[in-house]
Amino acid sequence: MGIGATAGAAAVGGIALSANASDATSSSASDSLAFDPDAWTKLTKTITDTEGTEHTVVYHFWKAITYVAEPVDATYQSLIVSAPVEIDGKAVDASDAPILLANSVGGYLPASVATATEIGGGGSATGGAAPGGAPSASSSASAQAAAPGANGTTNATGGATSSNQLLALAAGYVVVEPGARGRTLKNSGGEYYGTAPAAIVDLKAAVRYLRANKGRVPGDVERIVSAGTSAGGALSALLGASGDSPLYDPYLKALGAADASDAIFATGAWCPITDLEHADGAYEWNWGANDLSTGKPVDQTVSKALRAQFAEYQAGLKLRGLGGFGRLNARNLDAYLVEQYLEPSATAYLAALTDSARAAYLKANTFITWSAGRASFTWTDFLTHVGARKKDAPAFDAFDLSAGENNEFGTGRALARHFTAYGAEHDSTGLTTRRVASGIPAALDLMNPMHHLSGKANPGRSKHWWIRLGTKDSDTALTVSANLAARLDNLGDDVNHLYYWDEGHGANTDPADFITWIARVTGHKSRHP
């Protein structure tokens, strides 16, 4: 197992590569990264579907496999594979089944499957060790705990979509769970080796490994469907948007990634924490009127400045809303969100209640007008209903470099860096240069799916998208997934996007529908719960 890059590491666009970059080649990696189809352990799992019915699934399980020839840290750069062979006593042939690639990244923290002994055995780290995994030999728990956002103060950890893995297995799909490096990893020399773009490079390398092993790894490598939550949702969306982008080639070559495509067929993203360079403005546009949970109002000078920045950004996107809404801008985005997402979400929620439960809910929430089986309300009343916002201003590029996202853009021995001009200009840590570092723009492009969907959109992107967000999720702005969905829809992609009413960060209230959606978009005829 390797450790982080040394001082002699090469760099591309100001972003460090591993020290062995010049020695690794993709072609040799493909030759050495052969999946052993016979190295499985037979396991049995009882899985309860969303209707409460139990299914007995016998499956082949492959323990952690390193997916690159020159790993920086194999504890994280490994994956596990689960393939069903019998469901409820009936033999299953999963050789042509869709592959669910489910990452467990949360908060841009490291995720490991190194010691997993069954499906769902990996997790996202909040300190020195990943749940279900082992601490990196080259990382320090105390050093990681001191990193911005490492104690759960930023984004929720991943795994909220873990029910997807089990339901997918019970439906006859192959499930692959990749680990990935994260922002808190630090080597013995004090250098961070899991910051941007490490996580997305690792996930791409995992896809390349699967594709290079077509015919050996179980499942249809042409039908890989990604899934992730929070930062993992952002990485899932990025994986789908950036398929086969040459921007990542130097990083993949440095790791000895397999010589294969890293494009995926479909993308599932739950509450994606993404579009980070514009996230502060989006957050203030969305939640700027709401106080913090302590009752403290945010600095309105900061909030207004960021809202103005977002208005300019939103206009520049030139997006057309779904449902024939027309051009989206900061003046009509609230009406769009209410009409396209929030009222339909509330309507579906209320319609599913019993008459007495619905009456009780409406009595407690008088801002909703219920007429002819449809809910209606104003944006202002909706904000009041949600109540306290989770994050201060700025929410992502904190003036004191305390946000997890500041750590995500750290480099070398620098724990955290500003990644927006506004954050750098208002730095409160005493930096002498109040400008973003030269390598930041390139790092942002590598981490933002919108970059790959703008202008001449990436032709290697996935064309099928499942996007979900809770209406009470103030970990990010409701606009983030709405803009992503609008961009994809404008490009002609198949977009299934909705909001869960009254749900918070990491919600996944329709997992069975996601499994059915996979069958539909991939054309796979199989049983599913």
Side-chain angles (χ1 to χ4, degrees):
M1 179 175 67
I3 59 174
T6 65
V12 173
I15 306 168
L17 301 178
S18 69
N20 52 24
S22 60
D23 300 325
T25 63
S26 293
S27 59
S28 63
S30 290
D31 295 336
S32 64
L33 294 171
F35 178 84
D36 184 352
D38 300 318
W40 45 263
T41 300
K42 183 179 284 188
L43 301 175
T44 300
K45 187 83 171 177
T46 299
I47 299 172
T48 304
D49 65 26
T50 57
E51 300 298 321
T53 302
E54 289 188 348
H55 302 279
T56 301
V57 181
V58 179
Y59 66 103
H60 289 171
F61 177 78
W62 283 261
K63 293 183 179 180
I65 304 163
T66 303
Y67 51 69
V68 289
E70 301 289 340
V72 175
D73 192 336
T75 298
Y76 300 97
Q77 294 171 301
S78 299
L79 56 79
I80 56 176
V81 179
S82 302
V85 294
E86 184 180 296
I87 301 175
D88 294 335
K90 296 182 180 179
V92 172
D93 179 7
S95 59
D96 66 344
I99 297 174
L100 178 65
L101 183 77
N103 81 71
S104 58
V105 174
Y108 289 102
L109 294 163
S112 175
V113 296
T115 60
T117 57
E118 64 174 346
I119 186 172
S124 177
T126 54
S136 167
S138 58
S139 55
S140 162
S142 61
Q144 292 190 54
N151 296 315
T153 58
T154 319
N155 303 321
T157 55
T161 55
S162 59
S163 58
N164 292 336
Q165 286 97 296
L166 297 179
L167 292 178
L169 190 73
Y173 305 162
V174 174
V175 178
V176 176
E177 298 169 83
R181 290 169 293 165
R183 59 182 172 84
T184 54
L185 296 176
K186 185 167 67 172
N187 67 17
S188 58
E191 295 167 315
Y192 290 89
Y193 63 91
T195 55
I200 185 59
V201 171
D202 286 353
L203 294 184
K204 282 177 169 290
V207 173
R208 289 191 174 199
Y209 175 85
L210 296 174
R211 282 181 162 273
N213 281 286
K214 182 178 182 178
R216 291 189 291 267
V217 69
D220 183 354
V221 299
E222 303 296 330
R223 294 292 184 270
I224 296 174
V225 182
S226 176
T229 302
S230 190
L235 291 169
S236 183
L238 181 56
L239 190 65
S242 66
D244 290 337
S245 168
L247 290 180
Y248 303 87
D249 288 347
Y251 306 96
L252 290 161
K253 184 177 180 180
L255 295 175
D259 186 12
S261 169
D262 54 62
I264 60 173
F265 184 78
T267 301
W270 285 257
C271 51
I273 302 290
T274 192
D275 200 5
L276 295 176
E277 60 265 48
H278 306 107
D280 286 328
Y283 196 91
E284 295 311 313
W285 179 91
N286 193 152
W287 307 115
N290 293 30
D291 291 341
L292 291 164
S293 58
T294 59
K296 172 189 172 184
V298 299
D299 187 323
Q300 284 302 305
T301 299
V302 172
S303 184
K304 290 177 181 177
L306 290 170
R307 272 179 268 167
Q309 289 183 12
F310 176 73
E312 183 177 354
Y313 169 64
Q314 187 69 41
L317 288 174
K318 299 180 179 179
L319 297 174
R320 300 184 307 278
L322 278 67
F325 187 86
R327 184 68 62 85
L328 299 177
N329 56 55
R331 295 183 302 278
N332 65 16
L333 197 53
D334 52 354
Y336 172 68
L337 290 172
V338 169
E339 176 184 312
Q340 179 65 31
Y341 295 113
L342 299 179
E343 288 179 340
S345 175
T347 297
Y349 173 82
L350 288 165
L353 297 177
T354 62
D355 290 345
S356 58
R358 185 184 312 112
Y361 185 91
L362 291 170
K363 183 178 180 180
N365 295 276
T366 57
F367 74 98
I368 298 176
T369 298
W370 181 255
S371 177
R374 181 179 179 275
S376 61
F377 45 84
T378 68
W379 172 254
T380 300
D381 284 342
F382 166 73
L383 292 180
T384 301
H385 172 67
V386 172
R389 53 186 277 169
K390 182 173 183 179
K391 301 179 180 182
D392 207 341
F396 296 91
D397 188 359
F399 294 155
D400 62 358
L401 294 173
S402 63
E405 288 74 19
N406 292 123
N407 182 205
E408 171 64 5
F409 290 100
T411 187
R413 292 182 176 84
L415 171 67
R417 295 190 294 174
H418 290 294
F419 53 91
T420 68
Y422 190 79
E425 289 167 4
H426 293 81
D427 173 77
S428 64
T429 67
L431 293 178
T432 55
T433 302
R434 297 200 172 190
R435 292 182 294 179
V436 296
S438 60
I440 289 292
L444 289 168
D445 288 348
L446 292 167
M447 295 303 294
N448 192 347
M450 297 296 280
H451 172 75
H452 302 275
L453 302 173
S454 302
K456 189 176 181 181
N458 176 36
R461 70 184 185 279
S462 65
K463 304 301 193 299
H464 304 279
W465 299 78
W466 177 278
I467 306 171
R468 295 293 188 268
L469 183 70
T471 62
K472 284 193 171 183
D473 185 352
S474 66
D475 277 63
T476 188
L478 303 183
T479 63
V480 172
S481 62
N483 279 342
L484 176 61
R487 173 67 78 202
L488 295 164
D489 176 78
N490 294 176
L491 291 173
D493 292 355
D494 167 35
V495 182
N496 188 316
H497 181 215
L498 60 79
Y499 292 55
Y500 301 130
W501 185 252
D502 274 357
E503 295 289 343
H505 195 61
N508 178 22
T509 66
D510 56 351
D513 291 342
F514 176 60
I515 302 304
T516 302
W517 177 81
I518 292 176
R520 180 180 67 79
V521 299
T522 62
H524 182 70
K525 296 181 179 179
S526 70
R527 54 165 293 151
H528 45 79

